[in-house]
Amino acid sequence: MKKRNSIGAKIASVLAACVMLAGCAGKPKRVDPKGEENLQNQTNVLVVYFSWSGNLQKMAHWISEETGGDILRVTTKEEYPENYDDTVNRAKEEVNNGIRPELNIDLTQEQLDKYDVIYFGFPVWWYDLPMPMWTFLESYDFSGKTVIPFFSHEGSSDGAGSLPTITRLIPNATVRTEDALSIRGKKVKNSEDETKEWVRKVSAES
Ligand SMILES: Cc1cc2nc3c(=O)[nH]c(=O)nc-3n(C[C@H](O)[C@H](O)[C@H](O)COP(=O)(O)O)c2cc1C
């Protein structure tokens, strides 16, 4: 997929992807929007994720199983709509206006400081990180931590603007963009082995 040329081209091609999605497989459905926070602190690994239709939730759980890492789902005070089109429109409004949605998580900086390695999962939204993940990265100090991105998409297989955004927002962390895991949305359900294999590879290199 072409990288961004202009905002117009960008929006047109995402809309084409969304129309394609709707035509091929029916519109994605929201999974239960409730948060998830299991911070036992018995490990130096944290798996943080954002997910609307459940793909990142699956990937995050496989990564947590493989690493033994704690897990945190990033959710927002104002839930995203159940309806797909309404969610696409809200996300567009947020990205166009640089809105940082307020988060519904309890994580403190002190808790975060117990982790050295953070697996950071998100769907590509409007060719970038979903805005709640901007809020998340801007809310904490990630100095000295290693951040390993994993994401899902429906065409933006290189993550489009998302990986540069992470690096820009947390310049004091080591962000392993070269090692990021990218899986197409509709393939996620059959990707447990691929995901766990990726974890073994990246954790061996840590
Ligand atoms: C609001 C919204 C915007 C999206 N924008 C893009 C995009 O720019 N590029 C892309 O490849 N996929 C895009 N997608 C598709 C998602 O990245 C993909 O379906 C992903 O697997 C969803 O993960 P989830 O099930 O964890 O929410 C978008 C989906 C939504 C809901």
Side-chain angles (χ1 to χ4, degrees):
M1 178 169 290
K2 253 183 168 178
K3 281 199 179 158
R4 55 177 82 190
N5 287 333
S6 67
I7 290 288
K10 185 170 150 181
I11 288 173
S13 85
V14 170
L15 284 180
C18 296
V19 168
M20 192 185 80
L21 253 179
C24 295
K27 294 185 184 184
K29 293 196 170 51
R30 188 184 73 174
V31 285
D32 187 338
K34 79 171 180 317
E36 171 179 30
E37 194 166 299
N38 181 3
L39 306 175
Q40 303 295 325
N41 289 148
Q42 311 220 326
T43 159
N44 71 340
V45 177
L46 179 65
V47 183
V48 176
Y49 73 97
F50 175 83
S51 183
W52 183 80
S53 55
N55 291 327
L56 270 302
Q57 189 164 49
K58 289 191 185 75
M59 292 166 75
H61 279 256
W62 294 328
I63 293 168
S64 172
E65 278 169 28
E66 190 61 30
T67 57
D70 288 349
I71 197 156
L72 173 69
R73 180 180 183 183
V74 173
T75 56
T76 50
K77 286 232 155 88
E78 189 194 336
E79 281 174 5
Y80 283 88
E82 199 169 347
N83 178 281
Y84 177 76
D85 294 332
D86 293 346
T87 299
V88 167
N89 289 334
R90 174 167 152 192
K92 179 164 71 168
E93 165 91 8
E94 287 174 353
V95 79
N96 284 349
N97 296 296
I99 293 168
R100 273 57 164 181
E102 221 182 312
L103 303 186
N104 192 25
I105 57 174
D106 291 331
L107 183 76
T108 62
Q109 181 69 46
E110 199 185 2
Q111 285 173 305
L112 185 68
D113 282 343
K114 305 231 166 83
Y115 303 101
D116 302 315
V117 178
I118 298 172
Y119 288 82
F120 183 80
F122 57 91
V124 178
W125 269 17
W126 290 101
Y127 280 67
D128 214 311
L129 269 190
M131 293 310 290
M133 291 309 242
W134 289 60
T135 314
F136 181 79
L137 292 179
E138 289 173 341
S139 298
Y140 301 96
D141 178 4
F142 289 86
S143 300
K145 299 189 188 302
T146 297
V147 174
I148 311 177
F150 61 101
F151 62 90
S152 179
H153 62 89
E154 278 304 342
S156 306
S157 58
D158 64 356
S162 60
L163 297 177
T165 295
I166 299 171
T167 308
R168 201 171 60 248
L169 292 179
I170 48 171
N172 297 328
T174 301
V175 185
R176 290 177 58 183
T177 53
E178 297 300 315
D179 295 320
L181 175 65
S182 164
I183 301 183
R184 191 162 191 137
K186 57 177 165 266
K187 295 197 167 161
V188 166
K189 62 178 183 301
N190 296 319
S191 297
E192 179 172 352
D193 289 348
E194 180 185 346
T195 303
K196 290 185 170 175
E197 177 60 35
W198 169 78
V199 170
R200 288 192 286 276
K201 184 171 168 285
V202 292
S203 56
E205 290 165 5
S206 291

